[in-house]
């Protein structure tokens, strides 16, 4: 799996949520005169066509520079992309750790590149009222591959989730045909075998397994977690929260849609959130979970796992193969680690992954005035949304980085490795060639997304794919005035939730004070916040439903 930005879900603000809205109209047809903006564009460009500019073009792109594969100007990705499209990309490199801040500064100063990828909704909300980014929904007719996938994959609910109060959306979505859940618990199955326990299927069974581990190894904290910075419990609260029917950790959002009640609740004050905190509090109070889990460094958590001080940790496909197993192999070669299917909680057997989990692309308003605007939109459509462009971004060049067997299945060439699929390879698909790069390898059909999965990961995904995709909540697009108002409320509210989330989990504040805590949130304008959300929701329903 691509290692998705761990900070993305900290972006949640009062804006639009993912949505399932049947009654929304078709996308607006681009009707603005583009006669002066077609230089370099293909006169005939449709689904299945290779985009090739009719003259050499170059476009600036904001580049999220990942430390695992730092930018190289001589990557095959760049030269082959130019060879195929007649387009040269000019990357404006920004470190992964500073990407969101630097992006905001560049946009605010009017210096943003034309193409701004790796943007996770609702981050675009902050740039709409200034006019700095383009209402991309006006220009979908220039993007046949994107339009084709919207129809084939029934993607209208996700698009509705992006709409602003003007009915338009300003973010081209990353699109996956099916949801792909990556994060879950990684457990020492050799310890489970030793205790005569099966792999837990529910969070109650996880508790029972941790209890048995603690009884056998009283000097350990069976569960010691990572990804606690900058968001305490970032990954764990994300997928545990989904199991309890709420939004937490990396995915904290101020509101949660409760389908059974057909209403929004304030997340940090909801009963679902309280039940999640009570579960974790029980783990910490009984010595089953390391209280340092929410503040320690990732390296400290990995070291405890490697040294047998813990047996359970949050993880994903890459960390399991690239970090945890090599760590343990050096200290305990007999140990066995498995990423277990996401345990089931009160929300039932759901797959909580959104189909837009790979983020999206903003377009600078400056691009609209360029004589090459149509060509740029065609290029974006090919690279990010065509089957051929998506395969190129992930796999590279056939015969150089990958080959097909008799059945057409792709495989890395003998000397190329990535995610441990070809450990004898001396060259790395990301580091040495620039492919499978999170800036460009967005989404795709199920076969393509899963094409790098090991047989073990495929088993995990088959379990998750059999579950019900999480319901996509309805939108409540805010007006500029409303957004300015909630911006004053959001930070104090979220800070109070974050602080108390940690103190409740660690037992520094007893859960008997939950009602007092909710009262404190109300003093920070919780009720006014929810009244505004409900008003915006009702308005959108009346205008579009």
């Amino acid at each position: 799996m691509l290692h998705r930005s761990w900070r993305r879900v900290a972006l949640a603000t009062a804006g639009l949520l993912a949505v399932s809205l049947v009654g929304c109209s078709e996308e607006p047809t681009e009707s603005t005169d583009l006669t002066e903006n077609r230089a370099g564009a293909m006169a005939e460009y449709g689904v299945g066509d290779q985009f090739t500019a009719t003259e050499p073009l170059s476009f600036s792109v904001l580049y999220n520079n990942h430390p695992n594969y730092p930018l190289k100007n001589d990557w095959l990705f760049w030269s082959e992309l130019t060879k195929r499209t007649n387009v040269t990309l000019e990357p404006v490199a920004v470190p992964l750790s500073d990407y969101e801040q630097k992006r905001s500064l560049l946009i605010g100063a009017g210096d943003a590149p034309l193409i701004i990828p790796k943007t996770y909704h609702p981050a675009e909300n902050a740039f709409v009222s200034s006019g700095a980014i383009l209402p991309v929904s006006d220009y979908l007719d220039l993007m046949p591959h994107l339009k084709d996938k919207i129809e084939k994959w029934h993607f209208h609910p996700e698009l509705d989730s992006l709409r602003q109060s003007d009915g338009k959306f300003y973010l081209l979505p990353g699109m996956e045909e099916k949801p792909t859940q990556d994060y879950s618990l990684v457990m020492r199955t050799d310890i489970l075998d030793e205790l005569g326990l099966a792999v837990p299927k529910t969070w109650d069974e996880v508790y029972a397994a941790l209890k048995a581990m603690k009884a056998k190894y009283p000097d350990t904290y069976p569960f010691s977690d990572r990804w606690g910075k900058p968001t305490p419990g970032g990954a764990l609260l994300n997928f545990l929260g989904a199991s309890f029917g709420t939004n937490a950790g990396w995915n904290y959002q101020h509101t949660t849609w409760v389908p059974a009640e057909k209403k929004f609740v304030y997340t940090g004050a909801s009963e679902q959130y309280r039940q999640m905190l009570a579960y974790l509090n029980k783990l910490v109070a009984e010595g089953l979970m390391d209280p340092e889990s929410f503040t320690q460094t990732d390296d400290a958590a990995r070291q405890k796992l490697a040294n047998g001080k813990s047996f359970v940790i949050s993880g994903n496909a890459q960390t399991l193969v690239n970090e945890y197993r090599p760590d343990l192999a050096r200290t305990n070669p007999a140990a066995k680690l498995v990423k277990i299917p996401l345990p089931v909680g009160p929300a039932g057997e759901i797959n909580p992954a959104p189909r837009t989990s790979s983020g999206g692309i903003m377009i600078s308003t400056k691009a609209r005035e360029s004589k090459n605007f149509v060509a740029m939109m065609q290029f974006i459509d090919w690279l990010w949304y065509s089957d051929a462009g998506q395969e190129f971004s992930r796999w590279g060049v056939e015969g150089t980085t990958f080959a097909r067997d008799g059945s057409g299945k792709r495989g890395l060439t003998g000397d190329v490795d990535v995610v441990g699929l070809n450990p004898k390879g001396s060259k790395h698909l990301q580091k040495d060639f620039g492919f499978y790069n999170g800036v460009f390898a967005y989404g795709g059909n199920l076969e393509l997304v899963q094409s790098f999965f090991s047989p073990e990961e495929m088993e995990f995904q088959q379990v998750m794919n059999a579950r019900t995709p999480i319901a996509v909540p309805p939108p409540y697009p805010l007006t500029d005035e409303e957004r300015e108002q909630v911006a004053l409320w959001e930070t104090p509210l979220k800070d109070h939730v974050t602080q108390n989330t940690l103190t409740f989990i660690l037992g520094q504040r007893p859960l008997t004070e939950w009602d007092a805590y909710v009262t404190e949130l109300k003093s920070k304008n919780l009720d006014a916040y929810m009244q505004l959300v409900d008003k915006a929701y009702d308005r959108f329903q009346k205008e579009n439903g």
Side-chain angles (χ1 to χ4, degrees):
M1 296 281 316
L2 290 176
H3 212 142
R4 295 180 175 117
S5 170
W6 298 334
R7 299 174 61 198
R8 70 174 177 87
V9 283
L11 285 169
T13 64
L16 309 171
L17 300 176
V19 53
S20 179
L21 192 68
V22 177
C24 206
S25 61
E26 295 298 312
E27 308 312 323
T29 299
E30 191 282 310
S31 57
T32 309
D33 182 16
L34 293 168
T35 306
E36 304 298 321
N37 307 96
R38 294 184 175 274
M42 294 175 64
E44 299 292 332
Y45 171 67
V47 175
D49 291 341
Q50 166 67 56
F51 169 77
T52 305
T54 59
E55 61 185 70
L57 300 176
S58 62
F59 302 122
S60 57
V61 59
L62 192 62
Y63 183 83
N64 189 344
N65 201 2
H66 202 296
N68 289 354
Y69 43 94
L71 172 66
K72 294 181 180 178
N73 293 325
D74 62 352
W75 274 341
L76 178 61
F77 173 86
W78 304 118
S79 56
E80 185 67 23
L81 182 65
T82 301
K83 178 181 175 182
R84 296 190 186 194
T85 65
N86 209 15
V87 170
T88 299
L89 283 179
E90 301 172 350
V92 177
V94 175
L96 170 67
S97 58
D98 294 331
Y99 189 74
E100 288 141 25
Q101 181 181 7
K102 293 290 179 62
R103 179 184 61 204
S104 295
L105 291 173
L106 286 168
I107 294 175
D111 297 328
L114 298 181
I115 305 172
I116 310 170
K118 296 304 288 182
T119 298
Y120 291 91
H121 177 72
E124 78 278 14
N125 290 359
F127 312 115
V128 170
S129 60
S130 68
I133 59 174
L134 207 63
V136 290
S137 56
D138 284 352
Y139 302 96
L140 295 192
D141 281 351
L142 303 178
M143 309 183 75
H145 293 101
L146 171 56
K147 286 188 70 174
D148 181 58
K149 284 181 167 58
I150 289 171
E151 295 301 325
K152 286 196 305 187
W153 296 352
H154 307 290
F155 224 78
H156 297 287
E158 283 83 356
L159 292 185
D160 288 333
S161 75
L162 305 175
R163 294 186 191 278
Q164 303 292 324
S165 58
D166 59 6
K168 301 180 181 184
F169 55 87
Y170 293 71
L171 183 72
L172 293 170
M175 299 171 63
E176 293 184 10
E177 181 183 12
K178 302 290 184 182
T180 303
Q181 175 66 22
D182 191 12
Y183 289 83
S184 186
L185 293 180
V186 172
M187 303 189 78
R188 283 274 301 273
T189 53
D190 56 309
I191 301 294
L192 293 177
D193 292 342
E194 177 187 342
L195 298 171
L197 298 173
V199 171
K201 294 183 179 180
T202 69
W203 286 103
D204 287 342
E205 291 178 6
V206 169
Y207 168 75
L210 295 174
K211 195 89 163 156
M213 291 175 177
K214 182 72 174 181
K216 178 71 174 180
Y217 297 96
D219 294 334
T220 69
Y221 284 115
F223 186 6
S224 187
D225 210 17
R226 67 180 296 178
W227 292 318
K229 296 181 177 181
T231 306
L236 173 62
L237 268 65
N238 184 2
F239 58 76
L240 177 66
S243 299
F244 277 79
T246 191
N247 302 306
W250 288 339
N251 193 39
Y252 184 81
Q253 299 166 22
H254 288 277
T255 61
T256 297
W257 176 251
V258 183
E261 301 176 24
K262 296 191 180 302
K263 71 173 185 178
F264 285 103
V265 295
Y266 188 79
T267 300
S270 66
E271 175 60 18
Q272 295 88 341
Y273 202 86
R274 188 197 67 78
Q275 290 178 5
M276 177 196 70
L277 297 183
Y279 179 85
L280 290 173
N281 172 259
K282 179 170 67 172
L283 298 189
V284 172
E286 296 184 18
L288 309 181
M289 186 173 189
D290 186 353
E292 295 181 355
S293 293
F294 303 91
T295 53
Q296 68 187 347
T297 64
D298 289 357
D299 286 344
R302 286 175 58 183
Q303 187 174 25
K304 289 174 182 178
L305 184 71
N307 293 337
K309 300 295 185 183
S310 68
F311 310 121
V312 181
I313 192 171
S314 294
N316 60 22
Q318 284 202 58
T319 56
L320 173 64
V321 173
N322 295 341
E323 298 178 6
Y324 303 154
R325 282 179 176 161
D327 288 350
L328 262 174
R330 289 187 285 269
T331 59
N332 187 353
K336 295 180 181 179
L337 278 172
V338 171
K339 185 179 73 162
I340 70 172
L342 183 62
V344 176
E349 294 196 17
I350 58 166
N351 186 335
R355 295 196 295 169
T356 55
S357 58
S358 47
I361 305 163
M362 294 188 295
I363 306 297
S364 171
T365 303
K366 294 183 297 183
R368 176 61 182 80
E369 304 307 314
S370 166
K371 65 179 182 178
N372 306 126
F373 173 68
V374 173
M376 189 189 80
M377 297 303 285
Q378 291 177 343
F379 167 77
I380 292 171
D381 178 69
W382 180 83
L383 179 59
W384 273 282
Y385 296 102
S386 74
D387 290 348
Q390 290 175 337
E391 179 184 76
F392 168 74
S393 294
R394 284 181 185 264
W395 281 94
V397 180
E398 187 168 1
T400 302
T401 58
F402 79 98
R404 300 181 195 272
D405 62 18
S407 66
K409 183 179 179 181
R410 308 174 200 84
L412 295 167
T413 53
D415 204 30
V416 180
D417 181 35
V418 74
V419 294
L421 292 179
N422 187 18
K424 294 182 181 180
S426 63
K427 297 178 182 178
H428 196 273
L429 187 65
Q430 294 170 314
K431 297 176 183 178
D432 297 317
F433 296 97
F435 298 107
Y436 203 37
N437 183 323
V439 176
F440 305 107
Y442 273 29
N445 62 49
L446 184 63
E447 183 276 329
L448 180 66
V449 170
Q450 295 186 344
S451 60
F452 280 101
F453 290 179
S454 65
E456 177 185 21
E457 179 64 17
M458 284 299 295
E459 289 183 14
F460 174 92
Q461 293 298 334
Q462 285 168 4
V463 174
M464 296 306 301
N465 287 342
R467 299 182 181 179
T468 303
I470 195 167
V472 192
Y476 55 90
L478 304 175
T479 65
D480 291 344
E481 182 181 351
E482 289 168 341
R483 192 176 295 113
E484 288 178 10
Q485 179 61 71
V486 301
L488 301 175
W489 297 336
E490 284 180 335
T491 299
L493 282 168
K494 186 176 181 182
D495 286 350
H496 198 66
V497 170
T498 301
Q499 176 188 350
N500 282 274
T501 293
L502 191 57
T503 56
F504 280 133
I505 290 171
L506 298 179
Q508 296 168 351
R509 183 174 190 179
L511 278 161
T512 53
E513 294 186 13
W514 179 261
D515 289 345
Y517 153 74
V518 172
T519 299
E520 292 158 10
L521 288 174
K522 290 183 176 183
S523 73
K524 300 179 185 297
N525 298 296
L526 181 153
D527 289 336
Y529 187 101
M530 293 308 300
Q531 288 169 7
L532 197 152
V533 166
D534 291 340
K535 175 184 175 183
Y537 165 68
D538 291 339
R539 180 178 62 229
F540 191 85
Q541 291 293 313
K542 290 176 182 177
E543 294 177 356
N544 300 277

